[in-house]
């Protein structure tokens, strides 16, 4: 395999998400500035050399055909995706069987295969994620899990690595995934310098959540929505299942059933996720001590705060603040 310049092939097709195609090349191009390494050669491959119209309506010219790409020694294959939105504004990932076969062929000739955003659906259809843990854009995670029960779908992380297969969330997470690939090749120091050039200040870890708790899908019933607002208003106080059940005028068991049905988690897990989200905001925007943050966010002790962060973000509060503290 060519170890002088790493060949990165990005799969191109009509309707593809534009940023998934244009984001990674910008990141890889900056790596050459920051190191004496020969860097990367990034090419766009499509069925033909005719212009491809992206989902944003922008037309892009491929560099080579799939057949030509298959004849080269590929270091990294990047597979983006495309979606359609129905009349109720629900998002569905699109999977073209012919494109799936192309991806399967190219993946067999590459050192590592990656997907960005809903490109994970193409990898799944090609059988490349069987028995693996994978992520995708949160809006299509349920579709991926329903259509491919053999895959352990985790909609939360920014990206997941399983051996030589990487899956990334959407949409700007393609930048985070590209930085992670650079870190894997050239080291963390180079990746951090590239992140600074991108003015990202942050190089997010794979365990970083795709989205914040308050931005999650609104629940279907007024009762659970009222409970969520009650939790937000009283996040620093006592919030046991008994207290919430009494507030909602239901039994403890029924309250747990409501949360699992509407939000897919227990009341305890939801409360912890909200508290972690509030603590994240405090760490990013204030100089408050960990003791103060643990208190106002309802954790009680710093040890409890640390354990919650390790469970949900795979990092301590101190590590999180050092990476994500906003500049003043």
């Amino acid at each position: 395999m060519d170890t002088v310049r790493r060949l990165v092939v990005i799969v191109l097709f009509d309707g593809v998400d534009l940023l998934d195609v244009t984001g990674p090349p910008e990141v890889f191009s900056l790596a050459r500035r920051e190191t004496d390494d020969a860097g990367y050669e990034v090419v766009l491959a499509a069925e033909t050399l005719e212009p491809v119209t992206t989902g944003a309506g922008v037309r892009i010219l491929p560099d080579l055909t799939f057949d030509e790409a298959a004849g080269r020694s590929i270091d990294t294959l990047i597979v983006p995706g495309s979606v359609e939105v129905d009349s109720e504004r629900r998002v569905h990932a699109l999977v073209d069987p012919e494109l799936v076969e192309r991806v399967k062929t190219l993946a067999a000739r590459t050192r590592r295969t990656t997907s960005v955003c809903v490109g994970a659906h193409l990898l799944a259809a090609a059988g490349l994620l069987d028995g693996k843990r994978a992520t995708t854009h949160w809006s299509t995670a349920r579709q991926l899990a329903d259509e491919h029960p053999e895959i352990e779908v985790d909609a939360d992380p920014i990206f997941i690595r399983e051996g030589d297969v990487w899956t990334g969330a959407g949409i700007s997470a393609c930048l985070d995934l590209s930085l992670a690939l650079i870190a894997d090749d050239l080291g963390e120091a180079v990746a951090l310098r590239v992140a600074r050039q991108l003015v990202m200040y942050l190089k997010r870890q794979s365990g970083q959540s795709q989205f914040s708790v308050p931005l999650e899908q609104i629940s279907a019933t007024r009762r659970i929505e009222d409970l969520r607002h009650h939790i937000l208003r009283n996040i620093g106080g006592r919030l046991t299942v008994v207290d919430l059940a009494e507030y909602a005028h239901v039994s403890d068991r029924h309250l747990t059933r409501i949360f699992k049905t509407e939000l897919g988690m227990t009341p305890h897990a939801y409360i912890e996720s909200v508290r972690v989200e509030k603590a994240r905001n405090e760490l990013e925007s204030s100089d408050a001590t960990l003791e103060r943050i643990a208190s106002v966010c309802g954790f009680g002790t710093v040890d409890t705060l640390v354990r919650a962060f390790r469970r949900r973000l795979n990092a301590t509060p101190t590590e999180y603040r050092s990476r994500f503290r906003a500049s003043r």
Side-chain angles (χ1 to χ4, degrees), residues 241-246 250-258 267:
V241 172
V242 173
D243 294 327
L244 291 178
E246 183 178 337
V250 297
S251 68
D252 300 0
R253 181 176 297 180
H254 186 53
L255 180 84
T256 299
R257 188 181 305 118
I258 291 172

Side-chain angles (χ1 to χ4, degrees), residues 29 44 73-75 90 101 118 139 143 146 264 278 288 316:
S29 69
L44 308 180
S73 185
I74 303 171
D75 180 82
R90 291 175 299 195
E101 289 303 313
V118 298
S139 65
Q143 176 190 349
D146 290 344
K278 181 173 175 57
T316 67

Side-chain angles (χ1 to χ4, degrees), residues 195-207:
R196 292 191 194 100
Q197 290 291 337
L198 290 165
V199 199
M200 289 178 69
Y201 340 75
L202 323 156
K203 192 174 76 65
R204 296 187 288 181
Q205 293 179 310
S206 63

